[in-house]
Amino acid sequence: MSGIYIHIPFCKQACHYCDFHFSTSLKKKDELVHALAKELVLRKDEFKNQKVETIYFGGGTPSLLSIEELQFLIDEVYKNYEVSENPEITLEANPDDLTHQKLNDYAASPINRLSIGIQSFFEEDLKLMNRAHNSEEAKKCLEEATKHFENISIDLIYGIPGMSNARWIQNLEMALAFNIPHISSYALTVEPKTPLATFIKKGIIKNVDDDLAQEQFHIMIEKLEAAGFIHYELSNFGKPGYFSRNNSAYWQGKPYLGIGPSAHSFDGKHRSWNVRNNSKYINSLNEDVVPIETETLSITDKYNEYVMTGLRTIWGVSLKKVELEFGEHYKNYLLDQAQKHIIQQLLYLDDGKLLVTKKGKFLSDGIASDLFKINLS
């Protein structure tokens, strides 16, 4: 069981908060698509004994590719890998790309899940973030998309400077009105070297208010759980049967192959990542060389990753798994470190699993880092 992630590094324009790898020039799009196909062929042996359960087009903005280009890449996966009978094939898309024609094309293709970057239904938020779509397009595209697809996820951002709790509630209510079965939602974070960081530094935009973001996080949990969503991962809510299979595999430590510039891969023992430069990536693949760096994960690295991903999910951190995979010393260390968080009611033990309480959820990454093991030989 494994997944293939394909990174499409193109965007119409740069969002002010984004530090992902992308280009706003589409000049090298054809070359890049062929380089992606070449990488899929060159790396097929890495997945020799794996069945591909999920194919995920992420970015960037994969909806900038034509249906022919997307189909070409899907065909390359099927030609070179063993794909399960009913794979989840997700396409990330922006509302301004989702025309009636494109949605018709996607619905007729093997793509069976859309992840739409709405971020907010309000004009002022979209302008602040420099999104390529407007409020009207956000609503229109969902009206149209829900006619063609049942399995839709949307992204929403909270903690935006100037966004009141009342406006955040309206955002959630608008999302719920479309009967979407999956919502991914993130606090706005200020990444270094982004336009957002510069605007805040210059006083053009107010800084992010962490207390307000925390309030909005708890409002979201309450609203979405009341509407039948399961909060299965820190930033993800799904109706039963609609959890993201791609992301769930990642959080559960299953192997995945990352194709494209800046994409990361994991095989259970090693983590690797491709060069973060489109020209270097294309030139290297033209020479039949995958421009990749690899690190071998130590037992401590694997333990830390398991704690980090486990605490973010409803599956928690299994004490039995920690003992079996890392040894009794790690299990005892984990329990010792967890004690103060259990006393503070941020963590709890249930059926041999360590889980985050509702109160601790917003702080789960910080709590996880407290449980990390450093320099254990």
Side-chain angles (χ1 to χ4, degrees):
M1 295 256 205
S2 53
I4 293 179
Y5 171 84
I6 301 174
H7 187 73
I8 309 299
F10 300 114
C11 287
K12 277 185 192 167
Q13 64 189 52
C15 297
H16 286 159
Y17 56 87
C18 181
D19 73 339
F20 285 177
H21 169 66
F22 67 91
S23 164
T24 51
S25 163
L26 297 180
K27 274 185 202 159
K28 296 189 170 172
K29 184 160 75 87
D30 293 355
E31 289 175 80
L32 189 111
V33 168
H34 284 94
L36 293 170
K38 176 77 74 74
E39 187 184 356
L40 281 165
V41 174
L42 291 175
R43 296 184 70 187
K44 64 182 179 184
D45 286 349
E46 291 178 39
F47 263 27
K48 233 182 349 212
N49 307 313
Q50 299 281 354
K51 199 170 255 200
V52 174
E53 288 280 334
T54 64
I55 302 166
Y56 192 101
F57 289 95
T61 312
S63 51
L64 287 176
L65 294 195
S66 68
I67 189 65
E68 291 77 18
E69 288 166 330
L70 291 165
Q71 186 63 60
F72 168 64
L73 291 170
I74 292 168
D75 290 344
E76 285 302 308
V77 173
Y78 271 85
K79 272 189 231 165
N80 293 285
Y81 299 81
E82 191 188 343
V83 181
S84 74
E85 258 179 60
N86 180 31
E88 175 189 87
I89 304 181
T90 302
L91 178 82
E92 284 186 358
N94 274 350
D96 44 302
D97 292 327
L98 292 178
T99 59
H100 178 74
Q101 185 56 55
K102 271 203 167 178
L103 282 161
N104 267 336
D105 291 342
Y106 295 154
S109 81
I111 294 161
N112 51 27
R113 184 174 183 270
L114 291 181
S115 175
I116 306 173
I118 299 287
Q119 315 310 357
S120 175
F121 290 100
F122 288 90
E123 211 58 57
E124 48 269 63
D125 301 330
L126 296 169
K127 280 183 179 158
L128 182 142
M129 293 185 279
N130 200 36
R131 294 292 294 166
H133 68 279
N134 61 35
S135 169
E136 201 43 47
E137 284 170 323
K139 293 169 200 162
K140 254 197 188 139
C141 92
L142 285 179
E143 273 169 32
E144 195 64 41
T146 48
K147 291 174 194 168
H148 294 84
F149 283 86
E150 187 189 355
N151 198 353
I152 295 175
S153 176
I154 66 168
D155 286 353
L156 290 175
I157 292 181
Y158 59 91
I160 299 168
M163 181 199 267
S164 64
N165 288 346
R167 189 153 91 221
W168 176 233
I169 289 167
Q170 281 179 277
N171 257 321
L172 293 167
E173 284 171 350
M174 281 189 217
L176 291 171
F178 288 102
N179 205 21
I180 304 294
H182 190 280
I183 293 174
S184 295
S185 190
Y186 308 90
L188 184 68
T189 49
V190 185
E191 302 292 350
K193 296 180 185 170
T194 57
L196 180 63
T198 305
F199 297 148
I200 288 170
K201 202 175 174 183
K202 289 182 175 174
I204 297 165
I205 292 174
K206 273 187 188 170
N207 204 346
V208 170
D209 180 338
D210 288 339
D211 291 338
L212 189 67
Q214 189 164 355
E215 276 177 43
Q216 292 177 356
F217 175 75
H218 288 294
I219 287 167
M220 168 174 67
I221 294 174
E222 201 176 307
K223 292 285 284 179
L224 296 184
E225 285 185 344
F229 284 82
I230 296 163
H231 189 195
Y232 71 101
E233 193 274 340
L234 186 66
S235 305
N236 286 273
F237 298 79
K239 294 265 179 86
Y242 288 95
F243 294 2
S244 163
R245 281 160 58 189
N246 173 79
N247 295 355
S248 296
Y250 162 70
W251 296 313
Q252 292 172 324
K254 293 176 183 172
Y256 56 89
L257 195 61
I259 301 293
S262 84
H264 282 59
S265 304
F266 174 66
D267 66 4
K269 293 176 184 170
H270 311 91
R271 185 166 303 292
S272 54
W273 54 95
N274 289 351
V275 68
R276 196 182 160 108
N277 179 296
N278 292 358
S279 298
K280 285 180 183 171
Y281 175 80
I282 291 164
N283 294 339
S284 187
L285 266 307
N286 284 344
E287 305 285 324
D288 289 349
V289 174
V290 180
I292 197 165
E293 280 186 62
T294 303
E295 68 171 343
T296 302
L297 299 175
S298 67
I299 286 184
T300 303
D301 293 333
K302 289 187 212 169
Y303 161 83
N304 288 346
E305 285 206 5
Y306 175 55
V307 168
M308 172 64 89
T309 52
L311 280 192
R312 289 179 66 101
T313 70
I314 55 168
W315 304 292
V317 175
S318 160
L319 298 178
K320 192 176 178 183
K321 181 173 171 165
V322 170
E323 186 169 6
L324 280 173
E325 293 192 11
F326 312 113
E328 196 179 351
H329 182 81
Y330 280 85
K331 185 188 83 171
N332 294 339
Y333 177 83
L334 174 65
L335 285 170
D336 283 350
Q337 293 297 106
Q339 208 49 50
K340 67 173 179 186
H341 297 293
I342 292 170
I343 291 163
Q344 290 168 351
Q345 297 182 325
L346 301 173
L347 292 176
Y348 69 103
L349 279 165
D350 180 42
D351 194 24
K353 291 190 185 97
L354 193 62
L355 298 134
V356 180
T357 64
K358 215 164 224 183
K359 183 179 156 189
K361 271 183 181 170
F362 190 74
L363 311 166
S364 66
D365 285 351
I367 294 167
S369 64
D370 246 11
L371 309 180
F372 287 174
K373 198 82 176 92
I374 313 293
N375 296 331
L376 181 74
S377 54

